[in-house]
Amino acid sequence: MGRSLTNTMINLGIQGACDEAMYQLGLDIEEMENNEEDAGLGNGGLGRLAACFLDSMATLGLAAYGYGIRYEYGIFAQKIQNGEQIEKPDDWLRYGNPWEKARPEYMIPVHFYGRVIDTPEGKKWVDTQLVYAMPYDNPVPGYGNNVVNTLRLWSAKSPIEFNLKFFNDGDYIQAVLDRNLAENISRVLYPNDNFFEGKELRLKQEYFMCAATLQDIIRRYKSSKFGCREAVRKSMDHFPDKVAIQLNDTHPSLAIPELMRILLDVEGLPWEKAWDITVRACAYTNHTVLPEALERWPVSLLEFILPRHMQIIYHINFLHLENVKQKFPDDIDRMRRMSLIEESPEKKVNMAHLSIVGSHAVNGVAQIHSDILKTEVFKDFYELAPEKFQNKTNGITPRRWLMLCNPGLSDVISEKIGEDWVVHLEQLHQLKQWAKDPAFQRAVMKVKQENKLKLAQILEHDYGVEINPASMFDIQVKRIHEYKRQLLNCLHVITMYNRIKKNPNAKFVPRTVMIGGKAAPGYHIAKKIIKLICAVGAVVNNDPVVGGRLKLIFLENYRVTLAEKIMPAADLSQQISTAGTEASGTGNMKFMLNGALTIGTMDGANVEMAEEMGAENMFIFGMRVDEVEELKRKGYNAYSYYDSNIELKQCIDEIQNGFFSPSNPDEFKDIADVLLKYDRFYLLADYDDYIKCQEKVNTAYADQTKWAEMSIHNIASSGKFSSDRTIAEYAREIWGVEPSWQRLPSPHVSKE
Ligand SMILES: *Cc1c(COP(=O)(O)O)cnc(C)c1O
């Protein structure tokens, strides 16, 4: 979520008044804003997407709740010490959280472990361990419409009688200490992005959230007028007409067997009716096709922690496979591929398969990604139920990602086209008529220059590196991952460095390259990549021959608050994942909306960005998805690229032979090994085209008038990427509700 203060003032239309009041009191509002900790309750794009969706749902007047876990420790704080990442716990609640309100009246019991028995009334889950889920409500204000929705976060609370046996044994002290065991469930966020780690505590977190949330939803459904108080009181018949549950990836996929369990064992419905209600209520958003990210929980672990759910999953699978058999008779291999249970070597539940079968809608997050789901990853499921599959291209909220973070650009835009763009972002297209207008170009470039100066001051203060504010600010910020190819960016920097050294007097377009992002603490190569970036920076930044022409800076502790400072100051946005690996990306959209040009592959939402702005306004390079597939089939040989490109060979040799790590020449051997022997993301295959494309970027940047024109074209073409548009599509095409852009009379939202 990041910070809430400025966002709340903006959406309530009181920012101007608050600024003024603080000023009159002789206080600095920015200083106050800096006292708020980021709520860092997610890992990267997926969590930030949910935050943008909350803003848009409130702004479109939808009666929607966000649900999550109130982690006591959010995503770790990243420190760079001696050029490497150190993790510090994110103790964000230390001084309290003024935005939250505990709601003990809605506390909910959640059960774990135990066993299932047969009774005359049906199955019963008994001898369980009990933990309570305490809800904390956080306000989500809509923009200028008097709507405030709720983000409800669950915190684990031990029951009084937790570990009863110790009380009875008389070991009172031990019994009190052991209450921690239950409360550990909401202690800390698992810091993996796009990677599945099958830990018991993580599974308990996922079930904890699903169980608490479903009980909350059902309680609210039953107490509402529409739930029918009298005659059909308690009837769940109309549940899917009144409730839509959108699963953000498979992390909450246990909601499907949990809803089934409640309908079967608590409500006493027959299977067919329960299943119909479940499928009509649930919808699933897929966020990745990387195999290492897909959740596959061992059956043994599920049986231990959630025995009744495992029974239900088996029965869902039995009926699902009957269904497959009916439509595709005698296709044993298809049945094996489509099973919810993977057999070898250890039995596992494929949570994506469960989510597809248990949902009435399945969507990817950009057109190219949704197409890949249909033709590759979930092809069998598409052939079984093509009507389920949809696309919902991601978006970002223009409130936080333009109005809040870039007031200078917001004002320049509003002077031309008014303020409607804040809730109707497609109106930015009107700016195209001034793309070549010298006065408008000057206004846009002046704001960019001011934003760059402001960032440069922060960086000089934080890193002690002198920054040339006339240089191109070339930025790649996102979680560190091999598929995102920060190493390819690094190879480009090394190539530029080698060129300067070889030819010190040649003309050179000055660049300040910035790379930022957290590596999962257990992701060895990702941490090595950070170390390499810092090591290359140390060489490049201190070489007097290079001077102000090239700098490489690793941006420490990338998070929402830092993103808000970076996006407005970027000239060039790097979005260079291997085609077919980045589902959508949203960082790409934040840069575009703030007037940065993009160098990128035809991957994720980059494809639709190129479509909107015209390929001539983007720097596109590299293999397309079909070319990546073909290379995979032919067999990728990194050495063929290494041997045939002298500059590439020099870069890799320097990494390998300790040029950037003289005190430990072997430091980066494993990076060179990955690039040459085990690279699943084909970096070297795209190197040559990438370098050539970067030369085109230089040429364009040298012509500032042309650059300004392209930048304005980018801004003017970014309307599609508002999360308001995304949410309107979810509302109409999945949830069956109509969004409303109704606003309050404008005096309320004006800055005065
Ligand atoms: C937007 C955002 C992301 C997602 O960036 P991608 O480039 O799409 O991976 C990750 N982290 C933070 C803090 C963000 O604001």
Side-chain angles (χ1 to χ4, degrees):
M1 297 292 289
R3 290 176 178 159
S4 290
L5 179 59
T6 314
N7 183 247
T8 302
M9 293 191 297
I10 287 178
N11 283 16
L12 263 42
I14 59 171
Q15 191 189 25
C18 292
D19 274 355
E20 179 63 22
M22 290 287 287
Y23 178 79
Q24 300 226 345
L25 290 166
L27 298 170
D28 183 357
I29 198 156
E30 226 179 282
E31 198 180 311
M32 182 168 75
E33 288 163 351
N34 285 331
N35 286 313
E36 184 178 357
E37 299 264 358
D38 274 38
L41 303 178
N43 268 295
L46 183 151
R48 183 55 237 178
L49 181 76
C52 286
F53 283 1
L54 289 176
D55 183 82
S56 286
M57 290 189 298
T59 297
L60 296 188
L62 298 175
Y65 289 74
Y67 282 100
I69 296 176
R70 180 180 176 272
Y71 294 110
E72 190 176 333
Y73 294 89
I75 186 69
F76 64 86
Q78 178 191 57
K79 292 264 180 268
I80 302 296
Q81 262 172 34
N82 306 319
E84 57 188 320
Q85 169 176 299
I86 305 288
E87 300 90 22
K88 289 273 183 312
D90 168 38
D91 193 5
W92 71 298
L93 295 170
R94 188 176 39 223
Y95 301 117
N97 175 6
W99 299 107
E100 70 182 10
K101 173 78 186 77
R103 304 301 300 274
E105 68 273 35
Y106 296 127
M107 199 164 73
I108 280 170
V110 178
H111 298 266
F112 297 93
Y113 306 104
R115 60 198 170 86
V116 181
I117 56 170
D118 281 300
T119 74
E121 292 83 48
K123 305 273 185 191
K124 259 188 105 170
W125 183 18
V126 298
D127 295 342
T128 56
Q129 265 190 34
L130 173 67
V131 178
Y132 282 102
M134 174 75 81
Y136 286 77
D137 285 358
N138 300 260
V140 180
Y143 178 77
N145 62 355
N146 245 10
V147 169
V148 181
N149 282 348
T150 299
L151 169 61
R152 180 160 284 182
L153 301 176
W154 302 107
S155 182
K157 195 98 187 84
S158 173
I160 289 289
E161 66 279 14
F162 188 75
N163 258 0
L164 202 61
K165 68 175 193 299
F166 278 118
F167 277 105
N168 295 342
D169 289 353
D171 196 346
Y172 162 75
I173 297 293
Q174 193 56 47
V176 173
L177 294 180
D178 279 0
R179 292 167 60 82
N180 271 319
L181 268 40
E183 294 176 0
N184 277 343
I185 288 175
S186 56
R187 195 76 68 203
V188 57
L189 169 74
Y190 277 89
N192 301 317
D193 184 65
N194 277 297
F195 185 79
F196 171 58
E197 193 180 340
K199 288 283 198 295
E200 176 173 335
L201 180 60
R202 169 69 187 185
L203 181 63
K204 288 175 78 173
Q205 289 182 339
E206 292 185 353
Y207 178 66
F208 174 74
M209 186 186 106
C210 291
T213 300
L214 271 176
Q215 288 183 61
D216 201 50
I217 292 172
I218 292 169
R219 174 193 55 73
R220 192 180 300 113
Y221 166 77
K222 287 199 170 180
S223 68
S224 73
K225 284 174 279 195
F226 302 106
C228 300
R229 251 169 221 295
E230 308 307 328
V232 268
R233 197 183 144 86
K234 288 188 180 168
S235 161
M236 293 293 286
D237 287 7
H238 299 288
F239 187 75
D241 305 327
K242 301 299 175 190
V243 174
I245 301 170
Q246 190 69 39
L247 305 177
N248 194 17
D249 211 314
T250 60
H251 313 150
S253 57
L254 287 169
I256 291 165
E258 171 67 2
L259 182 52
M260 284 300 287
R261 186 189 68 82
I262 295 170
L263 296 173
L264 295 169
D265 301 352
V266 183
E267 299 288 328
L269 296 185
W271 181 280
E272 292 69 27
K273 201 158 187 173
W275 185 242
D276 176 69
I277 291 171
T278 300
V279 172
R280 288 203 291 135
C282 294
Y284 159 55
T285 303
N286 173 277
H287 285 271
T288 180
V289 301
L290 293 179
E292 66 270 34
L294 300 179
E295 290 191 302
R296 297 175 165 100
W297 288 106
V299 167
S300 56
L301 188 61
L302 277 168
E303 259 164 358
F304 180 50
I305 293 172
L306 302 168
R308 179 62 181 131
H309 298 77
M310 197 55 239
Q311 287 182 343
I312 290 169
I313 291 169
Y314 270 126
H315 197 64
I316 294 173
N317 194 37
F318 170 77
L319 295 171
H320 159 61
L321 291 179
E322 286 292 301
N323 192 24
V324 175
K325 199 184 328 186
Q326 203 154 74
K327 189 147 180 190
F328 303 96
D330 308 318
D331 196 342
I332 301 292
D333 199 57
R334 183 185 293 262
M335 295 201 10
R336 182 193 55 74
R337 293 195 308 266
M338 294 186 74
S339 176
L340 308 190
I341 316 283
E342 295 176 358
E343 292 292 338
S344 64
E346 183 191 4
K347 270 196 180 187
K348 287 178 178 165
V349 179
N350 185 315
M351 305 308 274
H353 291 186
L354 172 64
S355 302
I356 297 171
V357 172
S359 299
H360 69 283
V362 177
N363 74 281
V365 289
Q367 191 60 56
I368 189 175
H369 167 63
S370 297
D371 291 344
I372 290 171
L373 294 185
K374 292 199 284 190
T375 57
E376 316 268 338
V377 205
F378 302 137
K379 184 167 188 279
D380 294 322
F381 291 88
Y382 176 65
E383 287 168 1
L384 182 72
E387 70 285 353
K388 281 189 183 180
F389 286 76
Q390 300 194 20
N391 171 247
K392 295 287 168 281
T393 299
N394 280 168
I396 55 171
T397 168
R399 272 73 66 184
R400 184 178 293 266
W401 296 113
L402 183 51
M403 243 196 161
L404 182 154
C405 72
N406 200 344
L409 183 58
S410 298
D411 288 346
V412 167
I413 293 170
S414 295
E415 273 168 34
K416 284 288 183 201
I417 64 171
E419 284 210 338
D420 265 12
W421 60 267
V422 179
V423 280
H424 298 284
L425 201 65
E426 68 285 352
Q427 291 193 11
L428 290 182
H429 82 90
Q430 294 174 50
L431 296 172
K432 278 183 190 160
Q433 60 188 297
W434 295 291
K436 287 182 196 286
D437 177 76
F440 190 62
Q441 288 184 352
R442 255 182 278 121
V444 170
M445 293 305 267
K446 179 167 171 271
V447 170
K448 180 64 76 183
Q449 200 52 42
E450 288 166 0
N451 294 335
K452 286 173 69 175
L453 271 172
K454 209 168 161 186
L455 181 64
Q457 278 166 9
I458 297 172
L459 298 182
E460 291 188 355
H461 175 266
D462 290 359
Y463 304 108
V465 180
E466 201 177 311
I467 298 203
N468 173 5
S471 66
M472 182 200 309
F473 281 18
D474 164 344
I475 308 185
Q476 185 180 24
V477 281
K478 46 182 78 255
R479 288 297 293 260
I480 309 292
H481 204 296
E482 283 165 283
Y483 86 82
K484 293 176 184 276
R485 302 202 294 191
Q486 281 91 356
L487 271 180
L488 184 57
N489 188 352
C490 205
L491 290 176
H492 170 245
V493 175
I494 298 172
T495 304
M496 287 195 291
Y497 174 73
N498 291 336
R499 284 184 184 178
I500 294 174
K501 293 293 275 188
K502 192 172 170 202
N503 211 342
N505 298 315
K507 254 182 106 141
F508 194 87
V509 179
R511 286 202 194 212
T512 304
V513 180
M514 303 168 216
I515 304 177
K518 291 172 185 173
Y523 190 173
H524 171 74
I525 283 291
K527 290 182 125 179
K528 268 279 153 96
I529 291 170
I530 292 177
K531 207 166 180 184
L532 177 66
I533 295 164
C534 293
V536 173
V539 170
V540 171
N541 301 347
N542 296 306
D543 191 326
V545 174
V546 174
R549 290 182 290 184
L550 181 62
K551 292 277 184 259
L552 173 58
I553 295 170
F554 187 84
L555 300 169
E556 195 176 70
N557 203 25
Y558 180 58
R559 62 199 187 286
V560 170
T561 301
L562 187 56
E564 290 165 5
K565 298 177 176 38
I566 288 167
M567 300 302 162
D571 293 308
L572 185 68
S573 158
Q574 296 231 31
Q575 309 296 337
I576 59 177
S577 52
T578 314
T581 64
E582 187 76 273
S584 163
T586 51
N588 46 4
M589 302 167 186
K590 298 169 197 166
F591 281 104
M592 181 188 186
L593 182 58
N594 283 277
L597 303 195
T598 301
I599 182 165
T601 49
M602 279 301 208
D603 198 18
N606 297 354
V607 177
E608 289 157 78
M609 284 165 50
E611 216 167 273
E612 293 296 303
M613 71 177 91
E616 70 280 8
N617 287 303
M618 191 165 144
F619 301 98
I620 301 166
F621 74 96
M623 295 176 287
R624 310 305 199 249
V625 167
D626 55 326
E627 293 167 314
V628 172
E629 291 298 320
E630 193 185 305
L631 181 61
K632 194 183 299 179
R633 270 196 303 278
K634 276 189 349 209
Y636 169 67
N637 177 11
Y639 283 100
S640 68
Y641 304 95
Y642 170 85
D643 288 330
S644 60
N645 188 318
I646 313 164
E647 287 191 294
L648 173 59
K649 182 171 186 306
Q650 186 185 355
C651 292
I652 292 182
D653 290 347
E654 285 168 348
I655 292 171
Q656 195 154 32
N657 66 25
F659 181 83
F660 299 110
S661 52
S663 63
N664 179 9
D666 288 345
E667 180 76 70
F668 300 121
K669 275 229 155 40
D670 34 7
I671 287 193
D673 274 356
V674 168
L675 289 176
L676 291 171
K677 296 177 193 160
Y678 318 110
D679 181 11
R680 299 165 52 213
F681 302 105
Y682 314 127
L683 265 80
L684 304 199
D686 277 341
Y687 171 84
D688 185 59
D689 200 24
Y690 179 54
I691 299 295
K692 288 192 175 121
C693 194
Q694 287 283 21
E695 286 160 12
K696 288 186 199 155
V697 173
N698 287 335
T699 310
Y701 192 75
D703 180 352
Q704 283 286 297
T705 307
K706 178 68 191 163
W707 190 273
E709 184 189 333
M710 289 173 77
S711 172
I712 293 167
H713 256 284
N714 267 259
I715 299 166
S717 310
S718 60
K720 173 175 178 182
F721 305 104
S722 168
S723 47
D724 297 345
R725 187 269 314 151
T726 312
I727 284 300
E729 291 177 8
Y730 275 96
R732 294 187 174 122
E733 296 163 24
I734 299 181
W735 307 332
V737 290
E738 195 53 33
S740 149
W741 272 267
Q742 214 171 89
R743 317 241 62 81
L744 254 27
S746 59
H748 183 79
V749 295
S750 84
K751 288 196 172 175
E752 286 74 44

